[in-house]
Amino acid sequence: MLRLLILSLNGKIEYMIGANFLRKSLVALYVGATLISLSSHAKSANFESPNHAAVPEWQIIKDLMFGDRPVLEGRGKIVSIFLNTKLDDASTVPVMINGDGDQTLAAYIKTLYVVIDKNPIPTAGIFHFSPESGRVKLETRLRFEKYSFVRAIAEMNDGSLFMDQQWVQVQGGCSAPSGRDAADDPLLGKMRFRFDDAFAINEPNLVQVQIRHPNESALAVDLDPNHEAQFLNTLDVHYNGESVISAEINFSISDNPVFKFYFFPRSEGELSVLAKDTHNSIFSESIQLVKDHPN
């Protein structure tokens, strides 16, 4: 059995399903989304960016995740998303999401939802932050199965919702062959940390964590039908025992996942990362941080 991030009324992980049912369910979702997409593309064969608010998939997703709660324009105010909108490789599209203000006790981004309208599983990730983040930034790489909007929806600590979105013209990223077997990799789960600057206390520090993992897509054309796709489904980052960022993720994140984010240390200490995948494998790594150390 594996845990899968699927849209629900509260946007959380709630379903436990087996491998065969998973693949059948994803195929059904994929076919349904294809029919909607074909209808839309018949009206706009040049694939120009449509009205983001009128996308049928998004209207369904928004209703399931947020009900009748208003989702306000966020760009330049609360949250902004950036990426190269025309790329060659749909299986590894870099994306950067920035919070447009500091994380304070009075006002902070509590949850960041990353949604790809036309992916088999639209919720690519749900990321949880706190004031200990200092500032919200998320850089990662995504798979796109069809031309689609990618959306960043920020939920504030007072419950208000703000969104920014970008139209992306690549396809085939979720069904692309994986080309590797996690079981044969002795370095599976190995993590690498990279800092842009020297470690500093009492200010936001930017760190990148990369995890060696195929993050297999359940739709990959070369996936054995008797094999449960092995992909990361949770990520937890702590500094000196305090949560910095936690996430529920899935195979919409590219292989060898990369996550770049801020944390706000008030002293020297330990940055630790814990990740789990759908085969119940647990991976962890930590690094000791000392003031002015180049890391």
Side-chain angles (χ1 to χ4, degrees), residues 14-210:
E14 291 190 349
Y15 290 82
M16 296 291 291
I17 56 180
N20 290 333
F21 182 73
L22 166 62
R23 292 178 66 83
K24 291 177 182 177
S25 299
L26 290 178
V27 169
L29 287 168
Y30 182 78
V31 170
T34 299
L35 292 175
I36 295 175
S37 299
L38 288 174
S39 174
S40 301
H41 291 166
K43 299 176 183 177
S44 179
N46 58 2
F47 300 108
E48 292 181 356
S49 173
N51 176 0
H52 78 86
V55 175
E57 292 90 342
W58 167 241
Q59 293 175 343
I60 297 171
I61 293 164
K62 178 180 178 296
D63 182 61
L64 286 172
M65 293 184 72
F66 307 116
D68 58 2
R69 297 165 63 189
V71 181
L72 306 176
E73 171 62 38
R75 189 172 186 85
K77 305 172 186 176
I78 300 295
V79 63
S80 302
I81 185 169
F82 303 93
L83 71 164
N84 184 347
T85 55
K86 294 184 179 180
L87 302 136
D88 295 327
D89 189 350
S91 67
T92 178
V93 176
V95 61
M96 177 174 69
I97 301 170
N98 288 339
D100 296 313
D102 291 336
Q103 296 277 92
T104 67
L105 289 174
Y108 64 92
I109 294 174
K110 180 178 70 173
T111 306
L112 183 66
Y113 303 88
V114 180
V115 173
I116 304 173
D117 291 353
K118 296 180 184 290
N119 262 17
I121 305 177
T123 45
I126 301 176
F127 298 83
H128 308 281
F129 298 89
S130 74
E132 298 301 319
S133 307
R135 188 178 302 155
V136 166
K137 172 188 280 288
L138 175 66
E139 293 185 34
T140 189
R141 297 176 302 173
L142 301 173
R143 292 178 171 125
F144 285 76
E145 186 58 21
K146 295 177 178 293
Y147 287 13
S148 178
F149 278 104
V150 56
R151 304 173 190 266
I153 303 104
E155 181 175 12
M156 302 297 292
N157 59 310
D158 65 1
S160 55
L161 298 166
F162 297 85
M163 181 176 73
D164 190 26
Q165 64 285 317
Q166 291 283 353
W167 175 247
V168 182
Q169 295 192 169
V170 288
Q171 56 188 341
C174 295
S175 53
S178 61
R180 70 183 78 180
D181 185 353
D184 296 331
D185 187 355
L187 298 178
L188 182 69
K190 181 69 176 177
M191 301 183 193
R192 292 195 302 176
F193 295 83
R194 193 184 79 187
F195 293 79
D196 285 5
D197 300 297
F199 172 70
I201 294 174
N202 290 323
E203 62 181 79
N205 286 244
L206 191 59
V207 60
Q208 175 179 295
V209 178
Q210 183 170 23

Side-chain angles (χ1 to χ4, degrees), residues 1-4 6 13-18 21 280:
M1 300 295 284
L2 61 84
R3 199 174 282 269
L4 176 65
I6 291 185
I13 298 178
E14 291 190 349
Y15 290 82
M16 296 291 291
I17 56 180
F21 182 73
N280 297 318

